[in-house]
Amino acid sequence: IDTHRFSVAVCHRRFGKTVIAVNQLQKGATSCMKPRPRFAYIAPTYRQGKAVAWDYMKHYAAPIPGVQVNESELRIDYPNGGQVRIYGADNPDSLRGIYLDGAVLDEYGLQPSHVFTEVIRPLLTDRQGWALFIGTPNGKNQFYDIVQRAQAEPDWFFAEYKASQTGLSSADELAQARTVMTADEYAQEFEC
């Protein structure tokens, strides 16, 4: 991810996508050499972003001396002037007018299909910011399309993490999940 401007990671449920994303954003905010670094975690909805990522953002930022947490804006301010903030793709026009040095688009397949091309990509332009798309497959939608792009373009990073390969969930737990899920559901949620 660090060596590519655009990255896509297809990950099984409970892989740790959000933890990786939050720490990648925090790393960017604390190490970016540009003035006033700005980074965004973008969830399908603002409410979902708060529920999924906000506690992680506060937890992983807490050890850094001088960090300030802004609860009302779901924003972390770092001593170097960097910021990481949560946004929702359910109101993409609220992002217009800002700039970004990096963005994570979580569960991109559940976001409006135009949010990256019409809103986020232009925000990355003047500072040549990066984007990380993460999610679990959900049919053939814009996440599927961005996966195809990442696999075809050598300057993009692509990775896929299946539950059967990572060992993050025990074989017993996966077997139990199979008993209540259809084969298609299991294949989508755990085998990408």
Side-chain angles (χ1 to χ4, degrees):
I1 293 171
D2 288 338
T3 60
H4 294 79
R5 185 169 179 202
F6 299 106
S7 302
V8 178
V10 181
C11 309
H12 66 80
R13 292 282 174 227
R14 308 312 309 147
F15 175 79
K17 302 181 285 292
T18 305
V19 171
I20 292 167
V22 163
N23 281 294
Q24 193 69 19
L25 291 166
Q26 178 172 275
K27 178 180 173 184
T30 58
S31 64
C32 182
M33 301 306 291
K34 296 174 182 159
R36 302 177 61 238
R38 298 294 182 260
F39 293 83
Y41 172 91
I42 304 163
T45 68
Y46 183 74
R47 187 179 194 132
Q48 183 179 8
K50 181 177 183 180
V52 171
W54 185 233
D55 283 342
Y56 287 134
M57 284 177 63
K58 293 186 291 184
H59 173 76
Y60 290 108
I64 300 172
V67 162
Q68 295 180 350
V69 175
N70 187 315
E71 290 282 347
S72 64
E73 293 186 9
L74 302 185
R75 187 184 79 222
I76 307 286
D77 295 324
Y78 297 89
N80 66 335
Q83 291 180 354
V84 176
R85 189 169 175 172
I86 293 176
Y87 294 95
D90 53 334
N91 186 11
D93 289 335
S94 69
L95 289 153
R96 294 183 188 272
I98 67 170
Y99 63 86
L100 291 173
D101 295 293
V104 169
L105 292 95
D106 192 359
E107 296 299 352
Y108 182 58
L110 301 177
Q111 298 185 16
S113 60
H114 69 283
V115 76
F116 179 69
T117 55
E118 291 182 19
V119 181
I120 306 305
R121 181 61 181 93
L123 302 178
L124 299 168
T125 300
D126 58 328
R127 294 173 61 110
Q128 297 179 349
W130 54 263
L132 167 61
F133 301 83
I134 58 175
T136 301
N138 190 20
K140 290 189 176 180
N141 53 30
Q142 64 274 12
F143 188 54
Y144 174 85
D145 294 341
I146 210 83
V147 164
Q148 299 306 304
R149 173 174 286 245
Q151 290 176 320
E153 299 205 17
D155 56 336
W156 282 56
F157 173 80
F158 173 76
E160 181 179 71
Y161 301 98
K162 299 178 179 189
S164 60
Q165 298 169 336
T166 65
L168 294 172
S169 298
S170 71
D172 286 343
E173 180 60 27
L174 294 175
Q176 288 178 24
R178 272 193 209 97
T179 67
V180 298
M181 301 173 83
T182 68
D184 287 344
E185 289 170 338
Y186 183 83
Q188 175 177 294
E189 301 301 319
F190 289 105
E191 295 303 314
C192 303

